[in-house]
Amino acid sequence: MKILVLNGSPKKQSDTMHITRAFLDGMNQAGSHQVEVIDVIKKEIKPCLGCFACWKNLDGKCVQNDFQNEILSKILWADVIIWSFPLYCYGMPSHLKAVVDRTIPLAKMSMQEKNGTVIHDTLFDLSSKHYVVLSGCGFPDWEGNFDGLKMQCANMFRGHLDMVCVPETPMLSEPSAEPLTTPLKEKFKAAGMEYAQNLTLCEETVKMLETPMLPNEIYIQIVNANAAQ
Ligand SMILES: Cc1cc2nc3c(=O)[nH]c(=O)nc-3n(C[C@H](O)[C@H](O)[C@H](O)COP(=O)(O)O)c2cc1C
C-alpha cells in the first residue's frame, strides 16, 4: 500500500509521532508498504486565499504555487493518509488546518444532499481513500476535549475514517514514563498490524488505545508539581 503521513506537530520531537511511528512499524510488519512522511511545519504552505480559482480551473491545483500542490499530488497517490498531530485549542494546529483548507482543489463547487448532510462533488474519485487520524493532547481524559476535532474530521475525511484521540501524550517524550509509554506503543504497533490487515480498527482497539496511561488525578498532580508558578 501507499501510505502518506502528514505530521502536523511543529516540534522537532513530537509526542504524537511516537505513537504514529509505532503504528507504522505494525503496518510494515504486516506487509510491505511505500511510506512517505511529510513534516508539514517545514514546508511552505500559505493559508487559503478563498479565491475559488480552483473551482473555475478544475485542474486539481491551487493557484498559489507552493508545497500544497505537492501534497495534493501525494494525497491522490496514497491509498492511506495518516494525519498525525497534536490537539491545539480543541482542533488541529493552524499550519495543518491550512493543508486541510487547501484540499478544496480536489473538490468541485457543485454539491449534493446526501444522508442528511450536504457534500461537494469531487474532481477525482476519492472513494477508495482511507484516512487515519492520530491525535495526541496534553490534558488527561475528559469528555469534550476532542469533540470539535472529531466533528471536523468526520466531515472532512468522509468514508473510510479511523480516528484515535490519545490523552496525556507529553508522557511519550518523558524517559521516566517509559514503563507506561512502552506498553502503549506496543498497543499502537499491534493496532498498525490490525489496520494493515483490515483497513479499519475495531471499536475495542480504539477504546484500548485511548485509555489513559495514568488516572486523571495522578496525571494532574504530576503536571502541577512540574509547572512553573
Ligand atoms: C497552542 C497549544 C494548544 C493546545 N491545546 C490543547 C487542547 O486544546 N487540549 C489538550 O488536551 N492539549 C492541548 N495542547 C497540548 C498538546 O496537544 C500536547 O502537548 C501534545 O502532546 C503535543 O504533541 P506533539 O509533541 O506531537 O506536538 C496544546 C498545546 C499547544 C502548544
Side-chain angles (χ1 to χ4, degrees):
M1 270 185 308
K2 289 175 264 184
I3 304 168
L4 172 66
V5 180
L6 294 169
N7 166 24
S9 172
K11 291 159 57 183
K12 275 202 181 115
Q13 306 287 341
S14 158
D15 306 331
T16 316
M17 279 300 285
H18 285 284
I19 55 179
T20 304
R21 278 191 295 269
F23 191 81
L24 282 171
D25 281 353
M27 284 190 81
N28 282 326
Q29 222 164 69
S32 106
H33 309 290
Q34 281 173 265
V35 182
E36 174 110 20
V37 181
I38 296 177
D39 299 325
V40 170
I41 196 72
K42 293 184 185 158
K43 306 295 181 190
E44 191 200 6
I45 300 169
K46 298 189 194 90
C48 176
L49 294 172
C51 65
F52 290 117
C54 53
W55 286 0
K56 290 188 191 102
N57 297 338
L58 293 182
D59 58 359
K61 291 195 169 67
C62 179
V63 286
Q64 301 189 77
N65 201 14
D66 59 14
F67 194 78
Q68 180 66 11
N69 280 333
E70 182 70 23
I71 292 199
L72 294 177
S73 307
K74 293 284 178 198
I75 288 174
L76 294 177
W77 163 86
D79 303 303
V80 176
I81 299 134
I82 300 180
W83 300 80
S84 171
F85 59 89
L87 188 70
Y88 270 17
C89 301
Y90 313 105
M92 57 180 71
S94 53
H95 50 279
L96 191 68
K97 177 62 165 46
V99 171
V100 174
D101 291 348
R102 289 182 58 202
T103 56
I104 68 160
L106 303 180
K108 297 190 213 172
M109 188 166 84
S110 57
M111 54 185 84
Q112 310 283 335
E113 207 164 0
K114 210 174 174 183
N115 305 328
T117 63
V118 180
I119 53 169
H120 284 287
D121 296 323
T122 53
L123 193 58
F124 305 92
D125 180 9
L126 304 175
S127 60
S128 63
K129 301 281 171 203
H130 284 72
Y131 304 96
V132 180
V133 171
L134 302 176
S135 183
C137 80
F139 278 146
D141 187 36
W142 66 275
E143 224 183 301
N145 197 21
F146 282 101
D147 279 3
L149 181 75
K150 281 182 182 167
M151 175 80 83
Q152 185 181 35
C153 292
N155 282 321
M156 282 308 303
F157 311 128
R158 283 185 194 259
H160 313 286
L161 168 65
D162 286 270
M163 195 162 172
V164 187
C165 301
V166 186
E168 305 172 347
T169 46
M171 285 172 63
L172 285 151
S173 300
E174 177 51 54
S176 66
E178 267 170 30
L180 295 166
T181 57
T182 303
L184 181 68
K185 285 188 275 183
E186 285 303 317
K187 287 176 193 162
F188 267 90
K189 193 171 171 182
M193 288 174 77
E194 177 185 328
Y195 188 81
Q197 277 152 12
N198 306 329
L199 277 172
T200 189
L201 296 173
C202 70
E203 219 173 284
E204 297 82 67
T205 298
V206 174
K207 208 169 162 195
M208 181 182 67
L209 298 174
E210 293 182 343
T211 301
M213 291 172 276
L214 278 176
N216 286 11
E217 59 279 11
I218 296 179
Y219 179 81
I220 291 172
Q221 228 173 55
I222 295 170
V223 170
N224 290 353
N226 287 286
Q229 300 293 341

